Every structure is written in structure tokens, then in C-alpha cells.
Amino acid sequence: MTESDSHPGPSGHAACHPFETDLDRNPANHVALTPASLLARAAAAAGARIAVIEGDRHITYAQLYARCRRLASGLAALGIGRLDTVAILSPNVPEMVEAHFAVPMLGAVLNPLNTRLDPATIAFSLAHGRARVLIVEAECASLATRALAAFDRPILVVAIGETGIVDALPYEALIDAGDPDYAWVGPADEWQSLCLLYTSGTTGDPKGAVYSHRGAYLQALGNAVTFGLTDESVYLWTLPMFHCSGWSYPWACVAACATQICLRKVDPAAIFRLIAEHGVTHLCGAPIVLSMIAHAPVADRVAIPQRVRCAVGGAAPSSTIIRTMEELGFQVLHLYGATESYGPATVCLPQPDWADLSADDRYARMARQGVPLATLEGVAVIDPTTDRPVPRDGAVVGEIALRGNTVMKGYLGNPGATAQALAGGWYRTGDLGVWHPDGSVEIKDRAKDIIISGGENISSLEVEEVLMRHPAVMLAAVVARPDPTWGESPCAFLEVKPGAEPPSDQEVIAFCRERMARFKVPKTVVFGALPKTSTGKIQKFVLRDRARGL
């Protein structure tokens, strides 16, 4: 019962309560939240500050705002408006940042496309998302050309640089024709759709997660607070902006008036060079990115005088990677989330008692998924059969679930998948984990990655964590292999460090036996490069197929 219910107004209705009478919304006290307003504020507050850098290009916040207004104006002149889809196929360049603000200014929907996908999947995304415009950067021209050849309806192509695509409109011509004072209006409602992000599923067609203006605005603030972004921060793009809209960091950096450094591809030598050249303070990436940095050749490394905060997400980082990154001068922060949650949803916050832990125990704590960002309503570990929270004992396993304003609206044109993902008022992540007494959650495995051997459940993550401690191992992935006796047994796929001599199978098995229960020890060991998704995640479905054929 609310206070207004228990103390009704003269007519007996809550609506007549003094706090609800003559206190209405109007333009002075209520404006729809949109990340586009963050750029307007940054241009007014810090117009001369450098917003984006790529090579010799330095764009101030005033210039960025003017370019975004010009782009929005140019697109509007072409007939693009509310809820029209504008797709973009590009590496991390300033134009990607511009698209994340110009398209929302129109009330249109931005669709960043994964540059590492095949032409057929790109064509599917364009068709399913009903794209009216495709912005293509020159580096992606070949992929775009092949995708467009499979596309069965007209679409306007805007070219960044020389793409060779026939009848493409030059991006800079669109900017030049646009109005720098374009009076953008933003969304009619903050629940209006803002962004369309396709997930890279392992089977079937990709699903298109839809973001709202409200969710993106709040996620930007949550990211900025969680990662400690300020107007003195310099953020290096080691994460692709097409992935979860760069975990929403194009908006977060602007919210903080920080400087963004564009990097087209992950190159450890370039990362170290840019950190030194620009005084980089923040970067994000999947564990594979951290692994590349940690194992960079000595000749590519430079001393890092400033503190560089490094957020890792996408999979649980191994304690070995965390240790190595700290030794190189990085401060690692573990984030957890999904495309469906605008990127980061939880953060592993350091706790006071960590100071009393051994190094190994502290690194293990740092690998937990943690507690909700300030802008997420809640996280829980629930029993999949009853939907009730499991005990906070760090032992009982359930499914990690999220809820709040920074959870997607749903999957475009797929009500069945939406209902399943958001069942019971929670976003079901599909990750199995435990809930600790301090409120932090910890993934034990993906539901499909649990190995059941002789009736015992084996967490592939637990086995991988041990394997990654081996001095020769750079990456490890463990999957189930059919076993005539036990039903399933662990099969380990290992990628060794550059220049390291692969250990023998028996050496690896002996290493594991010293550190875990015998039934968890891999019975099969395979060496070689691990297959990865476009965002650096190891493709376990590929490895499961390989294991079945061994």
C-alpha cells in the first residue's frame, strides 16, 4: 500500500492527493532522456576540448556536435526520419562516434553491423532490420559490395572514403550539405527505439536486440560512474564499436567529456604506442584482447607512467591474465553483461577484505561478475525451475538474471524469443552461477557448457582457470567429449604462448591432477589455435563438434 492509498485526498482517490494535484509534467520539468543530449551538453560545457582522435585528425566537442547536426540534417533531407533504420559497416573511426549521436537526433534507429561477419549474414541483417541507409567505410567496401549483391531491394549507400560502390553518396558531401545549426528534436518518447544490435548466435539467424533512448542514456551514466570517466580521461578504442554499440562507451565518454582515441584493429604494438603518445587512461576489451596485450613481444612494449584502467568483459578473465596485466601497469576491472543489457550490467567492485587475501585469492575474487551497476535495477541468481532466488551461500547454482532500464526492449520481430528471454520479469542470461553472501554473483558456466561426467557436474570455467596457470598456456577452452564409460569427459583445447614449447598431453594432465579433483581432469588434450567469434569469444560450439570427432 502506498502513502497516497493510505491517506487519500478529499475525493478518496490518490490522484487528488496534494502531491499529485497541479504538479504536472511540462517542458520545463520533463524531457525525454536521450544520449543525443549528452553531446549537446558536452559541446556547450567543453567545446574546445578534444573529443575524438584518429591519427592526425583531432575533433573538438564543438566540431563533433556540428558534424553530427550536419549529418542528421543531411539524412533528414534524404527523407530519413523517425524509426527509419540507418545501418553502418565500419571499423573504429570518428564517423562511428558521429553516427551514435546523429542518428538518435533524428529519432531514427542506428544499426551497427559486425565487420567480421559473412556477406549473407550482413544481407540478412539489412533486410531484417529494414535498413534504408547503409553507411560504409572504405575498409569494408568489399564486404558491403558482396552483401548488397544479395540484397533484394534498393538502399541508399553513404561512403566514408573511396569505396568504389556505384552511386554511393560521399559521407563528407552529406556533411557539407547539412546544417550545423540543425534543430534536432530527438525522440517523441524515451522508450522509443534507438539502436538495433544483432547477436552472433551459434545456430539459426541472428536476433536483433533493440535499445531505447532511456536505456542508452542511463547506461552511459552508469558506465561513466563505474569506470571513473572524467573530463581528464582518455579512452582508447580496443573494443569494436559495433559490439553492443561499443558497450555503450561512445555515449559514456561524451557524458564525461572524455577524449576518445580511435583504433581500427587490435594491435598490441599500436596499443602501447597510443597509450604513451596520448596518455591513455581507460580501455576495454574481451579477455582475448588482454591476452594479446599481456603476451605482446617485449620489443612492442613501452613503459606506462600513468595508471591505465582496463575493463574486461565477455567472459570470465583468468587470474593469470589479471596478474600479468597488473605487472605491466594496468588496473583491471571486471565487468559482465550482454548485448541484451547494453553491454556492462555488473561490476566486480574491490572489497575492503581483499587486502588480507593472498594474491591468488584476490585474483580469484576479481574474476567474479560482481554487483549491479548503479543504473541497473537488480541482479539475481534464480532457480530455473521455480524462479525463486537461490541462497546467497556461494554454493547453490542457478541462472543469473538481470532487470532494469538498461535491459533491451526485446528482439525485433521475434516475440517468442523476447518472451523467453524476459520471462518472469527478468532477463535470463543463460549463465549458471552462484550468489555470494556479499551480494556478488559468480558465473560457474554457460548452461550448455556444463560437463556431466558420471553424474557429476564439471564447470568448464573451473578447469580452464587451472589450465591457464600453466606457464606455456595462453588460452584454454574445455568442452564435453562423449565418453563410453562416463557419458561425458572434459576435453581441453589449448593455445600456447608465442615462442613457447607445447607441453605433452601427460604433462598437462599431471599439472591438472595436482590442482583439482580427478574426475574434473581433462582426459583429452588438443593443441592449436582456438576458433573465436568476431568479438574475441572462443567458439565452443566449434570445439564441441571437434571433440565429438576425436
Side-chain angles (χ1 to χ4, degrees):
M1 179 179 291
T2 65
E3 184 172 340
S4 57
D5 290 332
S6 59
H7 301 282
S11 65
H13 297 289
C16 297
H17 193 284
F19 283 110
E20 299 295 340
T21 304
D22 300 324
L23 298 173
D24 300 321
R25 297 181 184 183
N26 68 65
N29 62 25
H30 181 80
V31 179
L33 300 179
T34 175
S37 67
L38 298 173
L39 178 56
R41 179 259 176 188
R49 189 178 299 278
I50 299 299
V52 185
I53 297 174
E54 185 196 27
D56 294 333
R57 295 176 67 188
H58 288 62
I59 303 172
T60 67
Y61 269 104
Q63 292 169 336
L64 179 63
Y65 187 38
R67 284 180 61 84
C68 289
R69 294 170 84 177
R70 284 180 178 274
L71 178 57
S73 171
L75 290 171
L78 295 171
I80 305 303
R82 183 176 181 272
L83 297 181
D84 286 331
T85 303
V86 178
I88 183 166
L89 190 64
S90 171
N92 292 344
V93 294
E95 290 80 3
M96 274 289 276
V97 178
E98 292 169 358
H100 275 83
F101 290 92
V103 175
M105 286 177 179
L106 284 173
V109 178
L110 180 65
N111 178 207
L113 296 169
N114 188 329
T115 62
R116 300 163 188 166
L117 295 179
D118 59 277
T121 303
I122 296 293
F124 167 84
S125 300
L126 292 173
H128 185 267
R130 301 180 182 181
R132 291 194 57 195
V133 179
L134 173 61
I135 301 174
V136 181
E137 204 274 340
E139 189 176 299
C140 303
S142 176
L143 174 58
T145 300
R146 287 177 289 159
L148 291 170
F151 197 58
D152 59 1
R153 62 178 175 81
I155 185 172
L156 173 66
V157 178
V158 176
I160 303 170
E162 297 296 328
T163 64
I165 299 176
V166 178
D167 296 328
L169 177 65
Y171 184 93
E172 288 303 320
L174 192 61
I175 294 286
D176 291 341
D179 181 1
D181 298 316
Y182 176 66
W184 60 276
V185 295
D189 182 276
E190 62 187 20
W191 181 246
Q192 184 175 309
S193 297
L194 160 81
C195 215
L196 172 65
L197 285 306
Y198 283 96
T199 61
S200 53
T202 57
T203 58
D205 292 325
K207 297 192 292 290
V210 179
Y211 293 177
S212 71
H213 283 255
R214 176 181 178 83
Y217 182 95
L218 292 172
Q219 183 71 20
L221 300 186
N223 279 353
V225 170
T226 300
F227 207 16
L229 292 174
T230 72
D231 59 354
E232 296 182 350
S233 299
V234 180
Y235 181 93
L236 177 62
W237 275 106
T238 52
L239 173 79
M241 277 189 238
F242 63 70
H243 181 48
C244 309
S245 276
W247 293 0
S248 298
Y249 275 100
W251 302 311
C253 288
V254 168
C257 297
T259 298
Q260 302 179 58
I261 311 295
C262 291
L263 180 65
R264 287 173 174 259
K265 63 180 180 180
V266 176
D267 175 10
I271 290 171
F272 278 104
R273 175 178 57 80
L274 291 170
I275 288 174
E277 181 180 344
H278 296 291
V280 169
T281 59
H282 295 74
L283 59 86
C284 295
I288 182 62
V289 174
L290 270 65
S291 180
M292 293 173 68
I293 295 173
H295 298 107
V298 174
D300 292 340
R301 302 178 186 179
V302 297
I304 302 175
Q306 74 275 17
R307 182 182 70 167
V308 180
R309 301 192 70 181
C310 176
V312 59
S318 73
S319 58
T320 303
I321 291 296
I322 295 174
R323 182 193 298 269
T324 304
M325 290 295 288
E326 285 192 349
E327 291 172 350
L328 288 174
F330 295 86
Q331 180 183 356
V332 179
L333 182 71
H334 185 201
L335 303 174
Y336 164 75
T339 300
E340 291 82 352
S341 63
Y342 297 68
T346 69
V347 55
C348 188
L349 292 176
Q351 301 297 321
D353 65 340
W354 287 13
D356 300 325
L357 299 176
S358 66
D360 287 343
D361 287 342
R362 181 170 65 87
Y363 293 135
R365 291 283 189 92
M366 291 174 69
R368 290 180 183 176
Q369 282 56 50
V371 296
L373 266 64
T375 44
L376 182 73
E377 184 65 22
V379 62
V381 180
I382 59 178
D383 185 323
T385 60
T386 66
D387 286 353
R388 295 177 180 173
V390 303
R392 299 192 186 194
D393 59 4
V396 177
V397 175
E399 183 177 11
I400 297 177
L402 312 171
R403 68 158 41 134
N405 295 293
T406 53
V407 168
M408 66 168 181
K409 296 175 66 172
Y411 296 117
L412 180 67
N414 198 335
T418 297
Q420 183 177 8
L422 305 181
W426 291 93
Y427 164 56
R428 311 304 182 100
T429 66
D431 288 323
L432 300 180
V434 296
W435 211 349
H436 289 280
D438 63 3
S440 66
V441 298
E442 179 184 6
I443 287 179
K444 288 301 182 182
D445 222 332
R446 291 288 293 177
K448 59 190 176 186
D449 292 337
I450 285 287
I451 302 166
I452 304 175
S453 184
E456 296 281 358
N457 287 353
I458 302 173
S459 165
S460 64
L461 295 181
E462 179 184 348
V463 183
E464 290 162 6
E465 166 66 23
V466 172
L467 289 165
M468 290 280 284
R469 296 177 194 167
H470 192 285
V473 174
M474 183 170 71
L475 294 174
V478 176
V479 299
R481 181 190 177 198
D483 189 290
T485 302
W486 305 108
E488 294 179 341
S489 62
C491 177
F493 290 86
L494 306 178
E495 188 171 325
V496 299
K497 296 177 181 178
E501 185 69 26
S504 67
D505 295 8
Q506 292 307 311
E507 181 184 342
V508 171
I509 291 172
F511 181 86
C512 290
R513 282 179 176 169
E514 294 176 359
R515 294 164 174 81
M516 66 175 67
R518 292 182 68 89
F519 75 90
K520 298 180 181 181
V521 173
K523 292 182 170 53
T524 311
V525 179
V526 181
F527 293 96
L530 301 184
K532 304 173 185 70
T533 68
S534 58
T535 55
K537 295 181 182 178
I538 296 171
Q539 295 177 307
K540 285 196 171 182
F541 71 98
V542 174
L543 298 179
R544 279 192 286 270
D545 287 341
R546 291 182 187 175
R548 283 192 287 269
L550 293 176

